[in-house]
Amino acid sequence: MMFTYDMSKAGANSLYHYLYQCIKKDIVNGNILAEEQLPSKRNLAQNLGVSVVTVENAYAQLLTEGFIYSLPKKGFFVADIKASDSSKLQQRKTRGKRRRPMENFEESEQVNPKYIADFVSNGADIEAFPFTTWAKITREVLCERQRDLLKVSQGAGTLELRSAIARMLREFRNIQVRPEQIVVGAGTDYLYGLLVQLLGFDKCYAVEDPGWAKISKIYGQYGVKVCHIPIQEESLTDAVKKSDADIVHISPSHHFPTGMVMPIGERYRLLSWAAESPKRYIVEDDYDSEMRMTGKPIPALQNIDVTEKVVYLNTFSKTMTSAIRIAYMVLPPHLAEKFHNELSFYSCTVSNLDQYVMAKFLNLGYYETHINRMRNLYRAKRDALLSAIRKSRLSDVATVYEEDAGLHFILQVQTKLSDAEFCKRARQNGVNIKALSEYYFEAEPSVHRFVINYSSVEKKNVQKAVQALVQACI
Amino acid sequence: MMFTYDMSKAGANSLYHYLYQCIKKDIVNGNILAEEQLPSKRNLAQNLGVSVVTVENAYAQLLTEGFIYSLPKKGFFVADIKASDSSKLQQRKTRGKRRRPMENFEESEQVNPKYIADFVSNGADIEAFPFTTWAKITREVLCERQRDLLKVSQGAGTLELRSAIARMLREFRNIQVRPEQIVVGAGTDYLYGLLVQLLGFDKCYAVEDPGWAKISKIYGQYGVKVCHIPIQEESLTDAVKKSDADIVHISPSHHFPTGMVMPIGERYRLLSWAAESPKRYIVEDDYDSEMRMTGKPIPALQNIDVTEKVVYLNTFSKTMTSAIRIAYMVLPPHLAEKFHNELSFYSCTVSNLDQYVMAKFLNLGYYETHINRMRNLYRAKRDALLSAIRKSRLSDVATVYEEDAGLHFILQVQTKLSDAEFCKRARQNGVNIKALSEYYFEAEPSVHRFVINYSSVEKKNVQKAVQALVQACI
């Protein structure tokens, strides 16, 4: 008979959790069928000899996870769990004729658990997220800021968060900006779109080659002209001059994936190129400057810009967790004015709660503490990895480049294997890895280089991962 | 001399855009003064040697951005753009020479506390937000879902929230959809942008005239062609057929600001228009369908669409609070597939915390309870307001229309005052109010009608507010 569970078997489990597991099992195994009504909470509680609250909590959990649904004034029913298989739509419609392009983008933010080490993922280390502090501040903000939380934030974000960001930039990056120059948005993806609207659909947007493909993909979405600038030539500025570029989107402090830093001379040349025409701008994507492992942080290009030509862009998703959707850009004053005139009618995409929590996290110094902790954590991961490589047979055939800045370095391997073949072998050995060549659009590399994103790798797996790479070489 | 522009200098610009820029510049620089009348479209077209449509489009853009306003049967006038200033940056940089157009958009979401009653604000009643429940669920989610919170959500949103929305739509709106058809985003502003990317930059987007100006403003931002469909003509579909529209963005259940409901015959005609061409779609903006005060909810257009032509769009910002940035759209299956193929690479703009909290809020039935409470609260506000109007001297000169659906009705006033004068007097008496005519783009109303958004009005101020309107009439 249904719904007759021996509650004395709950053991160490809480009663409600045990009950939830029992019902879930029956639904999954098909013992209880879709659309079947569940007993009322009171009845089930009586039958099982538990309190109504226990049943309530079990039902709530089943509801949350979508195993059952409720109809007002009717009660609870078993959901058709086979119907809502998330890929079914695709299976039904596509029958294998198409697949998702760009899947590598999602892949590369999320760690794939089937690997010993996933050097493709550049996600933050989930374990290292200061969850307790974040939850504490969230609870405090919920208590203290009730009315503020329900007010509509300005389009550019709450003044509180923008002020906190301005202060942080001053202290960490020596960037002097006013809160009015800052625009907050739900992720850099969203801000790139705002930038196109701000700088113009009629401009040509140059991105780095090799580079992070999502950037040019997003510019492309807006139908604007996109060109690729080979960054490994003698001078980036010369390459820019040869192109149709109006807007140049770069990461001068730490290029992805090569890890290169733009020399100061080149920075001035690029700024002087931008100064030549009113329609030219530089977008400085400073996505992981906080994670420089050795030496001083590289000064921002924004620092030496006196011509109001640099838009500085950064995100908290890399340093905190991608689940927190807060990014920001710093506009030069005349562009900030243009933004307020033309684009501030947009509602801010970050919820007030997230904005206030982030502001408090910054203002109370937790962010600085967190960054320092992360830097140490990542440095330890990097050092373990470098040391394992040095001690392995990989050191005979491989050289490490650009290891000073986080959160990746380049491994150049002497091998007769093609890049694709090497990566395939590595994956078969349990290590996910991508060749630098895969990040190129038009330019082509001449050597076998691989990108090692180490942020998500567990230290206990470092030895095994390096062994897997050695195996792949042979 | 004014309004003599050399149209041959338009260059790569479209003629209308060049003309719009020229006039805008003259307004901003003070060459054309506030309250000055603009030449009629026909005259200006003749003088400049361009078509009337060019002038029409330029004026429409200026109207949309708030640089000019129109008075029925009188023509177009330059707005007093210096009237308000909101940011420090502007004060410092612009020294009064520019201000923010579009300010009416922000104003209209936020209640202005200086008024006895703000009938322009359509913001939710802050007091009514179930803050304790929301905070409780947030704390629970923070405790229970630690790991899930740090995982990257799918581009379309977490399966959990999408499932919860699908269930809610089934129960409240009788809309049968699968979670895979749902896309979650940080506000409708953001979703409109995704829609343009999904449906195409090469399409012409039709919006309602009169209507919510922000919608056409956002489409305009993407550089797509926008046309205005007069909705008060005999048949909307006939008007659509006369236009270049490919995509029609409407609110069939409850039009803003007229409150009209699209008759079923018209719905079928519009669906049949859409079915005639693969590039045609209907965007059903169902922004306040939950708030129908009398009778049954109006069925969604999506309900009777068997040709996969309707994109259904709604938001929780209206029913909950605008501070919660969660909106969603329901795509017909073939568009859902297109979205997953082409646009799911975008990171979801809603943070995981907000997604899990909203899902739990829906699943535990709190949303339903909240909507019922809000409906009662707003009905009581409306009834108090209607009764005060009935008992006042306003009843001799004013008629109320479209009061069955929330959260606004129309007050038609017999008066010799111009709409602008009536509103000005009302504001002087402490009541913020906007004429229906202000929501028109090209079409022109023939009677004095005013939009009464009552959602944010405090009951204790109802009598005083009605008295203020009576005073304004005299």
Side-chain angles (χ1 to χ4, degrees):
Chain A
M1 200 197 144
M2 286 306 106
F3 301 109
T4 51
Y5 309 113
D6 183 353
M7 296 303 286
S8 67
K9 289 187 181 159
N13 259 323
S14 63
L15 280 177
Y16 99 85
H17 194 79
Y18 177 69
L19 179 58
Y20 144 80
Q21 285 177 317
C22 292
I23 300 178
K24 181 171 150 183
K25 211 165 154 187
D26 274 350
I27 294 174
V28 170
N29 297 338
N31 296 335
I32 318 177
L33 295 177
E35 311 307 332
E36 194 171 323
Q37 182 160 15
L38 277 79
S40 77
K41 297 174 195 171
R42 193 171 301 274
N43 276 344
L44 186 56
Q46 218 156 28
N47 290 345
L48 299 176
V50 296
S51 79
V52 176
V53 175
T54 300
V55 181
E56 223 161 56
N57 286 336
Y59 279 16
Q61 189 64 28
L62 290 164
L63 253 180
T64 307
E65 298 185 6
F67 287 102
I68 63 174
Y69 63 95
S70 72
L71 290 181
K73 290 180 187 149
K74 288 194 179 155
F76 294 90
F77 298 82
V78 176
D80 184 7
I81 54 169
K82 293 205 189 74
S84 65
D85 182 343
S86 71
S87 59
K88 208 165 179 187
L89 178 81
Q90 302 235 330
Q91 284 166 16
R92 184 170 59 84
K93 299 283 297 182
T94 62
R95 282 191 202 96
K97 70 178 194 290
R98 286 194 221 168
R99 56 166 270 264
R100 300 164 68 172
M102 310 292 298
E103 70 182 44
N104 49 327
F105 291 131
E106 301 210 19
E107 185 182 289
S108 54
E109 285 192 9
Q110 193 96 273
V111 181
N112 192 327
K114 77 179 181 197
Y115 294 114
I116 303 168
D118 187 348
F119 292 131
V120 175
S121 159
N122 61 2
D125 187 327
I126 286 188
E127 302 295 339
F129 182 77
F131 196 85
T132 317
T133 311
W134 189 261
K136 186 183 115 246
I137 295 182
T138 304
R139 284 190 297 264
E140 285 168 9
V141 169
L142 281 169
C143 286
E144 294 160 8
R145 309 294 299 270
Q146 192 153 337
R147 284 200 72 86
D148 293 335
L149 282 174
L150 299 178
K151 282 183 195 154
V152 180
S153 119
Q154 284 182 276
T158 61
L159 180 60
E160 195 161 314
L161 177 56
R162 287 181 289 118
S163 304
I165 292 172
R167 197 174 315 126
M168 181 269 287
L169 285 173
R170 197 167 54 229
E171 289 166 16
F172 286 13
R173 275 314 250 144
N174 195 29
I175 294 178
Q176 309 288 337
V177 295
R178 305 164 53 91
E180 299 87 54
Q181 291 173 254
I182 295 176
V183 175
V184 170
T188 44
D189 292 7
Y190 175 70
L191 293 180
Y192 297 158
L194 275 187
L195 270 180
V196 173
Q197 295 177 53
L198 187 66
L199 302 177
F201 283 81
D202 55 341
K203 305 293 186 301
C204 175
Y205 291 75
V207 297
E208 297 162 315
D209 186 3
W212 182 238
K214 201 173 183 180
I215 297 169
S216 59
K217 167 80 181 163
I218 291 175
Y219 284 129
Q221 274 305 128
Y222 288 86
V224 299
K225 203 172 160 191
V226 176
C227 63
H228 298 107
I229 304 292
I231 63 145
Q232 280 160 322
E233 306 217 336
E234 253 173 59
S235 155
L236 179 109
T237 311
D238 287 349
V240 166
K241 282 179 182 166
K242 278 182 226 153
S243 76
D244 295 332
D246 302 304
I247 316 295
V248 180
H249 187 129
I250 50 171
S251 299
S253 297
H254 186 226
H255 174 256
F256 182 89
T258 66
M260 283 168 50
V261 173
M262 188 188 274
I264 185 73
E266 199 55 45
R267 290 173 185 233
Y268 282 114
R269 285 166 71 187
L270 191 63
L271 280 169
S272 116
W273 165 84
E276 281 165 20
S277 160
K279 60 180 189 168
R280 291 182 184 163
Y281 288 97
I282 301 165
V283 178
E284 177 176 27
D285 206 331
D286 205 31
Y287 73 104
D288 74 350
S289 59
E290 299 86 352
M291 291 301 162
R292 193 153 180 87
M293 299 300 167
T294 321
K296 281 194 172 184
I298 312 287
L301 189 59
Q302 203 273 357
N303 257 339
I304 54 168
D305 170 33
V306 293
T307 52
E308 301 202 4
K309 281 299 188 180
V310 175
V311 173
Y312 176 93
L313 206 138
N314 209 337
T315 174
F316 294 111
S317 301
K318 282 275 166 291
T319 46
M320 304 284 287
T321 151
S322 348
I324 293 175
R325 308 303 312 160
I326 310 180
Y328 59 92
M329 54 184 179
V330 177
L331 301 171
H334 76 282
L335 278 185
E337 195 189 334
K338 189 169 192 272
F339 178 88
H340 287 289
N341 283 327
E342 294 172 12
L343 294 173
S344 62
F345 73 92
Y346 277 121
S347 306
C348 185
T349 43
V350 184
S351 73
N352 277 10
L353 179 60
D354 289 354
Q355 291 195 57
Y356 283 117
V357 172
M358 189 71 225
K360 196 164 179 181
F361 193 84
L362 284 162
N363 287 337
L364 295 183
Y366 289 119
Y367 187 67
E368 195 183 351
T369 314
H370 172 64
I371 291 293
N372 290 336
R373 252 189 78 227
M374 294 300 272
R375 205 185 285 121
N376 291 336
L377 173 83
Y378 290 139
R379 190 187 288 119
K381 283 191 187 199
R382 182 202 60 174
D383 291 347
L385 199 51
L386 291 177
S387 145
I389 290 171
R390 227 175 285 121
K391 287 179 196 151
S392 76
R393 285 160 57 199
L394 210 55
S395 59
D396 301 336
V397 292
T399 322
V400 168
Y401 292 95
E402 306 294 353
E403 72 273 26
D404 286 346
L407 301 167
H408 61 87
F409 58 76
I410 298 292
L411 188 72
Q412 180 172 325
V413 182
Q414 288 175 337
T415 174
K416 281 177 183 158
L417 298 173
S418 71
D419 285 358
E421 183 62 24
F422 183 85
C423 292
K424 191 180 151 196
R425 285 198 190 192
R427 272 195 297 274
Q428 282 164 349
N429 294 333
V431 170
N432 196 19
I433 192 171
K434 237 172 132 172
L436 190 57
S437 54
E438 292 186 61
Y439 294 95
Y440 280 77
F441 298 97
E442 289 155 12
E444 273 183 26
S446 52
V447 284
H448 297 293
R449 292 188 162 195
F450 302 89
V451 182
I452 310 288
N453 291 287
Y454 51 82
S455 58
S456 69
V457 175
E458 292 180 68
K459 256 174 107 176
K460 67 176 167 58
N461 289 342
V462 162
Q463 289 292 348
K464 267 192 276 181
V466 172
Q467 276 319 306
L469 292 181
V470 171
Q471 292 292 321
C473 286
I474 303 167
Chain B
M1 204 203 141
M2 287 305 105
F3 302 108
T4 50
Y5 309 112
D6 183 351
M7 297 303 286
S8 66
K9 287 187 180 156
N13 259 322
S14 62
L15 280 177
Y16 99 86
H17 193 78
Y18 177 70
L19 179 57
Y20 145 80
Q21 285 178 318
C22 292
I23 301 178
K24 181 171 152 183
K25 211 164 154 187
D26 274 348
I27 294 174
V28 169
N29 297 338
N31 296 334
I32 317 177
L33 296 175
E35 312 305 336
E36 196 172 330
Q37 183 161 14
L38 277 79
S40 77
K41 297 172 193 172
R42 194 171 302 275
N43 276 344
L44 186 56
Q46 217 155 29
N47 290 343
L48 298 176
V50 297
S51 79
V52 175
V53 175
T54 301
V55 181
E56 224 160 57
N57 286 337
Y59 279 16
Q61 187 67 25
L62 291 163
L63 252 182
T64 307
E65 298 186 6
F67 287 102
I68 63 173
Y69 63 94
S70 73
L71 290 181
K73 292 183 184 146
K74 288 195 176 151
F76 295 91
F77 298 83
V78 177
D80 183 9
I81 57 168
K82 294 205 190 76
S84 95
D85 210 332
S86 70
S87 94
K88 240 189 219 160
L89 178 80
Q90 302 236 321
Q91 282 165 20
R92 185 172 59 85
K93 297 280 301 180
T94 63
R95 290 197 193 89
K97 73 179 193 290
R98 284 196 219 169
R99 48 132 256 172
R100 304 161 70 169
M102 310 290 300
E103 73 178 46
N104 48 327
F105 294 131
E106 302 210 16
E107 185 182 287
S108 55
E109 285 192 9
Q110 194 95 276
V111 180
N112 192 327
K114 76 178 179 195
Y115 294 114
I116 302 168
D118 187 348
F119 292 131
V120 175
S121 158
N122 60 2
D125 187 328
I126 287 189
E127 302 295 339
F129 182 77
F131 196 84
T132 317
T133 310
W134 188 262
K136 185 185 119 238
I137 295 183
T138 304
R139 285 191 297 264
E140 286 170 7
V141 168
L142 282 168
C143 286
E144 295 160 8
R145 310 295 297 271
Q146 192 153 337
R147 284 200 72 86
D148 293 335
L149 281 174
L150 300 178
K151 283 182 195 155
V152 180
S153 119
Q154 286 181 275
T158 61
L159 179 60
E160 196 161 314
L161 177 55
R162 289 182 287 119
S163 303
I165 291 172
R167 199 173 312 129
M168 182 269 287
L169 285 173
R170 194 166 60 226
E171 290 166 19
F172 286 13
R173 264 334 236 137
N174 195 28
I175 294 178
Q176 309 289 336
V177 295
R178 305 163 57 90
E180 300 86 56
Q181 290 173 257
I182 295 176
V183 174
V184 170
T188 43
D189 292 7
Y190 175 71
L191 293 180
Y192 298 158
L194 275 187
L195 269 181
V196 173
Q197 295 178 53
L198 187 66
L199 302 177
F201 283 81
D202 56 341
K203 304 294 185 300
C204 175
Y205 291 73
V207 298
E208 298 163 315
D209 184 5
W212 183 239
K214 200 172 184 181
I215 297 169
S216 59
K217 168 78 181 165
I218 291 176
Y219 284 128
Q221 275 304 127
Y222 287 86
V224 299
K225 202 172 160 193
V226 176
C227 64
H228 299 107
I229 303 292
I231 62 144
Q232 281 160 321
E233 305 215 337
E234 251 173 60
S235 155
L236 179 111
T237 311
D238 287 349
V240 166
K241 283 180 182 167
K242 277 183 226 153
S243 77
D244 295 333
D246 301 305
I247 316 295
V248 180
H249 187 128
I250 49 170
S251 299
S253 298
H254 186 224
H255 174 258
F256 183 87
T258 66
M260 281 167 50
V261 173
M262 187 188 275
I264 185 72
E266 200 54 46
R267 291 173 184 231
Y268 280 114
R269 284 166 72 185
L270 191 64
L271 280 169
S272 116
W273 166 84
E276 281 165 20
S277 161
K279 61 179 188 167
R280 291 183 183 163
Y281 287 98
I282 301 165
V283 178
E284 177 176 27
D285 207 329
D286 205 32
Y287 75 103
D288 74 349
S289 59
E290 299 87 351
M291 290 301 162
R292 194 151 181 88
M293 298 299 165
T294 321
K296 282 193 171 184
I298 310 288
L301 190 58
Q302 204 272 356
N303 256 339
I304 54 168
D305 170 32
V306 292
T307 51
E308 300 202 4
K309 282 298 187 179
V310 175
V311 173
Y312 176 95
L313 206 140
N314 209 336
T315 175
F316 293 111
S317 302
K318 282 275 166 289
T319 46
M320 305 283 286
T321 152
S322 347
I324 293 175
R325 306 305 311 161
I326 310 179
Y328 58 92
M329 54 184 177
V330 177
L331 301 171
H334 76 281
L335 278 185
E337 195 189 335
K338 189 170 193 271
F339 179 89
H340 286 290
N341 284 327
E342 296 172 11
L343 294 173
S344 61
F345 72 91
Y346 276 121
S347 307
C348 185
T349 44
V350 184
S351 73
N352 278 9
L353 180 60
D354 289 355
Q355 291 196 55
Y356 284 117
V357 172
M358 190 71 224
K360 197 163 178 182
F361 193 83
L362 284 163
N363 286 336
L364 295 183
Y366 290 119
Y367 187 67
E368 192 186 356
T369 314
H370 173 63
I371 292 293
N372 289 336
R373 251 189 78 228
M374 295 299 271
R375 205 184 285 122
N376 291 335
L377 174 83
Y378 290 139
R379 190 187 287 122
K381 282 191 187 198
R382 181 201 61 172
D383 291 347
L385 198 52
L386 291 178
S387 144
I389 291 172
R390 227 175 286 122
K391 287 181 194 148
S392 77
R393 284 161 58 199
L394 210 55
S395 59
D396 301 336
V397 292
T399 321
V400 168
Y401 291 94
E402 306 294 353
E403 71 271 28
D404 286 345
L407 301 167
H408 63 86
F409 59 77
I410 298 292
L411 188 71
Q412 180 173 325
V413 181
Q414 288 175 339
T415 174
K416 282 177 184 156
L417 299 173
S418 71
D419 285 358
E421 183 62 23
F422 183 86
C423 293
K424 192 179 151 198
R425 285 198 188 192
R427 272 194 297 274
Q428 283 164 349
N429 294 334
V431 171
N432 197 18
I433 192 172
K434 237 172 134 173
L436 190 57
S437 54
E438 291 186 60
Y439 293 96
Y440 280 77
F441 298 97
E442 290 157 10
E444 279 183 18
S446 52
V447 283
H448 298 294
R449 293 187 162 195
F450 301 90
V451 183
I452 310 289
N453 291 286
Y454 51 80
S455 59
S456 69
V457 175
E458 291 181 65
K459 255 175 108 178
K460 67 175 166 60
N461 289 342
V462 161
Q463 288 292 346
K464 266 193 276 181
V466 170
Q467 276 318 305
L469 292 181
V470 170
Q471 294 291 319
C473 286
I474 302 166

